Amino acid sequence: MIFRTRTTPTRPALRKVRTTTALRPLRHRLDPARVEEIPFHAPDGVRLGLTRIDTADTGRPAVLLLHGHTASADMFLLPETRNLVDSLLDDGYEPWLLDWRGSRRLPYNETGQRYTYDDVALYDIPAAVSRIRERIGDRPLFVIAHCIGSLALSLSMTAGLVPGLAGVVSQGVFLTPKLAGRTSLRMSVAGELLKTRIDHIPVDFRKVGFRSKYTPLFALASRKADCPDPTCQILHNSAWGTGASLFVHENLAEAAHDRLAELLGPAPLWILPHLRRIELARSVVRWHDTDQRYRALPSNALDAAARIDTPVLLLAGSENGLWLDSQQLCHDVLARRQPQLDVRYTEIPGYGHLDTFLGRGAALDVFGHILDFLDERR
């Protein structure tokens, strides 16, 4: 008698969810011996990342780089092109890079402890500044901040938590966030409709697969898209489903374009209530109104702008499809309400939001404005 074995269909493997707080490796072309990864935790115990680029020159001014939400320190170290760290090193500065809790190199946007931008402003940025100052002594310390990193920095500054900075470069948005009407509407509607089904929006279609709950979002992002890459579509054509655009497509080098899923990660939906409150107020406002742990932060950063004690360069691309003319608005409001502040505005023609750092020509078109500002105050 012949017995036939019955083959049981195998189920597809479940997607692995990252739970470790170990930092993903940085990708760069520097000598590894020059890249110092410093063990670093925020005061509330959350593991973060702090990286120093060794210059063998202890007299250089230091520059802290703050990435945007879902990005990471990688955005300043692109090996495919001349990046911001290259420019800072050649111009005589010591770069420091903070991976705050919204970093692509950390797991918190998908799993782990939830947070608001209050946590970034109260814990992450001041702790990083304090740690850097322990190492550099009385040398000048500048900050270059992008997007939400800049927005959170404005809350730290107006709380008086990072006094004495030599200068700040804010890219994209600072004290007066302004989104397009359809972006704000989609953010509100999507947050309400999707919050019970998903907690984050991924960018890498290859990881989630065709038969996933995220497929309709990718399909929606692909409408009228010129680029066939799903990651590019959900970022350039949709900005995680909001209908905004994160960069001018032709400004990206092919190598950087192919790494978008590595450079930008999932966007958590549970952060949207704070972001909506900020955008509706057209100011950076505190989320935690009753929690005494956050009482050091101002309820409205714009109302506390008089506490800013350092020169600020507001930088923005003329084609910013996410924050529109937020920086121009910020300059005009501060000029009217706080004329004693040293605040200037520079617009980069032909650039959007992310391409001011990731663009193939950013070293020529953008970084010079940043270095000129730093050099005047070093």
Side-chain angles (χ1 to χ4, degrees), residues 148-279:
I148 297 297
S150 173
L151 184 150
L153 175 65
S154 75
L155 195 55
S156 299
M157 293 172 66
T158 53
L161 298 176
V162 287
L165 297 173
V168 167
V169 178
S170 160
Q171 202 297 119
V173 64
F174 191 53
L175 282 169
T176 56
K178 178 183 175 183
L179 297 171
R182 69 169 185 172
T183 300
S184 181
L185 178 61
R186 285 193 184 190
M187 188 181 295
S188 300
V189 173
E192 292 301 317
L193 292 179
L194 299 176
K195 67 181 180 181
T196 59
R197 304 189 64 185
I198 59 177
D199 59 5
H200 66 274
I201 298 177
V203 299
D204 193 344
F205 189 67
R206 295 167 300 181
K207 288 187 176 181
V208 300
F210 184 77
R211 296 181 179 179
S212 80
K213 56 188 174 183
Y214 303 107
T215 298
L217 296 175
F218 280 91
L220 184 63
S222 69
R223 294 183 60 201
K224 299 182 180 179
D226 296 325
C227 180
D229 183 353
T231 295
C232 179
Q233 291 168 0
I234 206 162
L235 294 174
H236 170 253
N237 205 42
S238 181
W240 296 284
T242 66
S245 179
L246 294 183
F247 50 85
V248 175
H249 194 272
E250 54 267 27
N251 286 349
L252 295 191
E254 183 177 353
H257 179 275
D258 292 344
R259 285 185 60 208
L260 285 173
E262 180 183 343
L263 294 169
L264 294 163
L269 289 181
W270 40 259
I271 201 70
L272 286 184
H274 193 190
L275 193 56
R276 287 204 303 271
R277 181 184 290 185
I278 287 171
E279 199 276 329

Side-chain angles (χ1 to χ4, degrees), residues 93-123:
Y93 294 92
E94 179 183 273
W96 290 72
L97 304 97
L98 173 66
D99 281 282
W100 51 272
R101 64 190 71 199
S103 171
R104 176 76 173 91
R105 297 179 67 205
L106 293 163
Y108 309 124
N109 292 324
E110 294 180 86
T111 61
Q113 181 174 328
R114 295 189 175 188
Y115 58 89
T116 69
Y117 298 133
D118 290 358
D119 297 296
V120 184
L122 181 64
Y123 298 124

